[in-house]
Amino acid sequence: MAILTVAEAPSARSEHKMSCQKSDIKVSTDTNDTIDIEHAPVNDDPRQWSRTRKTMTLCIVSLATVVSTLASNIQNPSNLLIEEDLHATSSQISWTLAAFQLIQGNFPLLWSAASEIKGRKPVYLVASAIFVIGNAALALSKTINMMIGMRALQAVGSCAVISISAATLADIYEPHERGTMMGIFYAAPLVGPALGPILGGSLSQAFGWRASFYFLLICGGIIFLSFLILFKDTHRRERSLTYRSALRRLYTSREPIQSSSKSIITAHGFSKDQTLVKDTEKQLQRLDVPDDKLVVASTLGLDEVRLSIKDIDPFRPYFRILSRKNNVLILTANGLVFGFTSCLSYTCARTLANAYDYDALSVGVVLLCLGIGSITGSVIGGRWSDRVLAKMMGANGGKWCAEIRLESSLLGMPWLPPAVIGYAWVCEKHVNVAVICVMLILIGFSSTWMSTSLLAYLVDANPGRSCTAVATNSSFRGSLAFVSVITAVPLQNTLGDGGLYTVWAGILIVTQLLVILVLRKGESWRKEGEERELKC
């Protein structure tokens, strides 16, 4: 019986070409035969697109991500104005932020499943339209309860591009290029939080707090048109484990061909009416396919595949990701880092407004320092990740494994806990705001350096499931950010900035130990998970 297995992607373009040239045009009963899902031959291969086309794709998804992440904290400098205008409490303001984080983190599971079935572009278009509607409703909100609900709707529309865009980059770039490209891309969602406070502060000062949402409404319309006119879908079913699973079901539902020699099913083994051809000579006849349209038999028949409820269930691949220990630990680590930064940006805005008596624009200028550090850490960290990957591959004779990505995170780790403790007591003692700015830059740089490597690792460690892996990452990040934002004000009022962020420093040390543990044990855990899945 034909059995499909999945091999890890090679890291060099030369290996890609070799795998294409030597691909079997058959499905055999030999369980040792493997299919490199990262390089399954496809028509109009996105990885063979021109540099211009790839750059345009990168720019569109990056710009969309900037706009989406602007929504996460553009209202922070305006929170006091919203409280006064809508007669809201601090707790209700926290809910406008927390509801956004919770929905933005967990709804990508549904967007991810949809993108694996329908492709990336339709999901981008639908989500962008929802984002536009949500911003229009927010700008017209008359009550705080309506604002909380519309922030949730806004999050539904904004979260798709954040989760699927990383998978889009995995569609068009080779594994050995992803560190640099992920670094550039990961800077995009950091530009949003960096510019969000200063844009929100300046717009609120000049035109009132509603102006921020009108601004997002206009940007959302531009993004929708960009996806509609300029974006070309990057998704290919041959490289999707969702379709692979359905294709395996299609093959195993049919009787294998019995012969005295090793059983082989060629592309001519199935007729157009989906009945098995009985002519053995036709079954054994080798498919003559031009080199530029080479297709392995494991991808043939995708047009016949009909996805079942089991295939499109967004929670099944979610739990597949969580079934591997290495994934769970990295997801937890990345989620805690994001929860920390969400708590930081919110409470820092409160501290500046209450203790330093800063207006909305001044708060935005200070928070810009966190964004500057984050962007710098993302770009430099991504390039460093690729450099470490290339160096270690050379030392290992060209051998590659996903855990190499985590080596690059070690350089940024030692700086984060001391910077957090420094920020904690600088704020507690109300030291000059310039020192706060320095601490925010260090925190942004070191935390994002870590996060860039962790995201690249999740993509590399889950070939064929990159979209689901990123969506699961968003779920962890959003859920932990929800908890951190909801508890931020009570903890800040009880412990003060000094106590609150000393606790966070301890949590981040534990987070770094989780990353080191995966670096040491992750490869064996990952292989165990792959073997277990193949037996299912």
Side-chain angles (χ1 to χ4, degrees):
M1 183 174 293
I3 297 178
L4 303 181
T5 58
V6 180
E8 287 189 34
S11 59
R13 186 176 299 274
S14 61
E15 294 180 10
H16 172 206
K17 292 180 179 178
M18 185 179 298
S19 67
C20 291
Q21 294 168 355
K22 296 184 178 181
S23 295
D24 292 333
I25 312 182
K26 64 183 180 181
V27 177
S28 79
T29 56
D30 186 355
T31 59
N32 293 325
D33 290 346
T34 61
I35 297 167
D36 177 8
I37 195 168
E38 285 272 12
H39 298 99
V42 295
N43 290 325
D44 190 21
D45 189 346
R47 294 187 188 163
Q48 302 301 318
W49 285 353
S50 67
R51 183 181 297 273
T52 300
R53 170 64 68 179
K54 288 184 178 182
T55 301
M56 179 183 295
T57 301
L58 175 63
C59 289
I60 291 174
V61 297
S62 296
L63 179 60
T65 306
V66 169
V67 174
S68 295
T69 53
L70 270 175
S72 65
N73 67 351
I74 196 171
Q75 80 167 60
N76 277 346
S78 312
N79 284 336
L80 289 179
L81 297 176
I82 296 172
E83 276 190 49
E84 295 173 2
D85 189 35
L86 300 184
H87 308 291
T89 65
S90 295
S91 176
Q92 289 173 319
I93 293 296
S94 295
W95 269 103
T96 64
L97 304 174
F100 182 92
Q101 296 288 4
L102 184 65
I103 299 298
Q104 188 184 59
N106 288 282
F107 207 86
L109 291 172
L110 301 179
W111 289 133
S112 172
S115 75
E116 290 295 322
I117 298 166
K118 297 297 184 181
R120 316 293 190 216
K121 184 170 183 173
V123 172
Y124 283 137
L125 290 173
V126 172
S128 297
I130 293 174
F131 182 71
V132 169
I133 294 171
N135 283 302
L138 277 166
L140 300 173
S141 294
K142 300 297 183 182
T143 66
I144 190 63
N145 290 331
M146 180 179 179
M147 187 173 183
I148 292 172
M150 291 304 99
R151 282 285 280 173
L153 181 64
Q154 181 194 47
V156 170
S158 70
C159 66
V161 67
I162 296 174
S163 61
I164 299 174
S165 52
T168 300
L169 299 190
D171 292 339
I172 63 177
Y173 291 111
E174 296 286 352
H176 66 280
E177 301 174 296
R178 288 178 191 160
T180 299
M181 295 307 166
M182 284 294 182
I184 295 172
F185 160 74
Y186 203 67
L190 296 171
V191 169
L195 296 180
I198 193 168
L199 277 174
S202 57
L203 288 171
S204 296
Q205 285 289 110
F207 306 108
W209 64 267
R210 298 178 190 275
S212 299
F213 299 110
Y214 281 119
F215 174 77
L216 291 176
L217 170 64
I218 295 171
C219 291
I222 294 172
I223 295 303
F224 177 84
L225 293 176
S226 297
F227 279 123
L228 180 65
I229 299 171
L230 301 176
F231 183 78
K232 187 175 182 180
D233 207 332
T234 62
H235 181 256
R236 297 295 180 267
R237 294 183 299 173
E238 295 86 348
R239 294 175 180 171
S240 168
L241 282 180
T242 301
Y243 276 92
R244 290 273 185 194
S245 176
L247 183 61
R248 180 188 299 189
R249 188 182 66 248
L250 176 66
Y251 277 129
T252 55
S253 66
R254 296 169 173 173
E255 288 186 2
I257 304 171
Q258 301 296 328
S259 68
S260 57
S261 60
K262 185 177 179 180
S263 176
I264 298 176
I265 302 175
T266 69
H268 294 295
F270 300 113
S271 65
K272 291 183 179 179
D273 61 358
Q274 300 184 12
T275 60
L276 194 61
V277 177
K278 300 300 182 180
D279 189 337
T280 303
E281 291 183 359
K282 288 184 178 180
Q283 293 168 6
L284 297 177
Q285 180 181 358
R286 184 173 181 83
L287 179 65
D288 183 16
V289 182
D291 291 339
D292 61 343
K293 294 185 178 180
L294 185 63
V295 181
V296 295
S298 60
T299 67
L300 297 175
L302 281 177
D303 291 337
E304 303 177 39
V305 170
R306 296 295 179 266
L307 297 179
S308 66
I309 297 296
K310 183 178 180 180
D311 294 316
I312 64 176
D313 178 7
F315 299 102
R316 181 177 174 83
Y318 176 83
F319 289 117
R320 277 286 181 90
I321 296 293
L322 296 183
S323 68
R324 299 185 183 182
K325 289 181 283 187
N326 61 305
N327 285 339
V328 172
L329 294 185
I330 293 300
L331 289 165
T332 302
N334 213 10
L336 287 171
V337 172
F338 186 74
F340 158 72
T341 55
S342 298
C343 178
L344 177 66
S345 60
Y346 179 33
T347 57
C348 185
R350 293 186 80 243
T351 297
L352 294 170
N354 296 329
Y356 289 82
D357 198 28
Y358 275 20
D359 59 23
L361 179 58
S362 299
V363 170
V365 171
V366 174
L367 289 178
L368 180 62
C369 295
L370 180 64
I372 291 173
S374 298
I375 294 169
T376 306
S378 178
V379 175
I380 297 177
R383 291 186 176 276
W384 179 256
S385 176
D386 277 349
R387 181 177 178 180
V388 170
L389 178 65
K391 182 178 179 180
M392 295 195 69
M393 283 180 60
N396 294 330
K399 294 181 180 179
W400 176 88
C401 70
E403 284 67 32
I404 294 177
R405 286 287 184 198
L406 300 179
E407 290 281 356
S408 60
S409 67
L410 299 178
L411 187 61
M413 285 183 182
W415 301 93
L416 184 56
V420 175
I421 293 175
Y423 169 83
W425 294 102
V426 164
C427 285
E428 183 70 20
K429 301 301 181 181
H430 299 165
V431 177
N432 188 287
V433 73
V435 184
I436 294 179
C437 291
V438 173
M439 293 296 106
L440 288 176
I441 290 173
L442 288 175
I443 289 171
F445 182 86
S446 53
S447 63
T448 308
W449 184 292
M450 276 184 59
S451 296
T452 300
S453 296
L454 300 188
L455 179 62
Y457 171 78
L458 284 172
V459 172
D460 289 345
N462 295 277
R465 292 196 184 102
S466 59
C467 193
T468 303
V470 175
T472 307
N473 181 58
S474 295
S475 177
F476 270 65
R477 283 161 47 108
S479 298
L480 290 170
F482 171 80
V483 174
S484 69
V485 170
I486 282 294
T487 60
V489 172
L491 289 175
Q492 187 182 34
N493 291 339
T494 303
L495 303 175
D497 285 316
L500 173 60
Y501 286 101
T502 298
V503 171
W504 266 116
I507 293 173
L508 292 171
I509 291 173
V510 174
T511 294
Q512 294 176 347
L513 293 176
L514 295 180
V515 175
I516 294 172
L517 181 59
V518 175
L519 179 60
R520 301 290 178 252
K521 300 287 188 179
E523 184 175 5
S524 61
W525 289 343
R526 182 164 46 80
K527 289 180 178 178
E528 288 174 7
E530 291 171 355
E531 292 173 0
R532 184 172 59 251
E533 290 174 9
L534 289 174
K535 294 177 181 177
C536 297

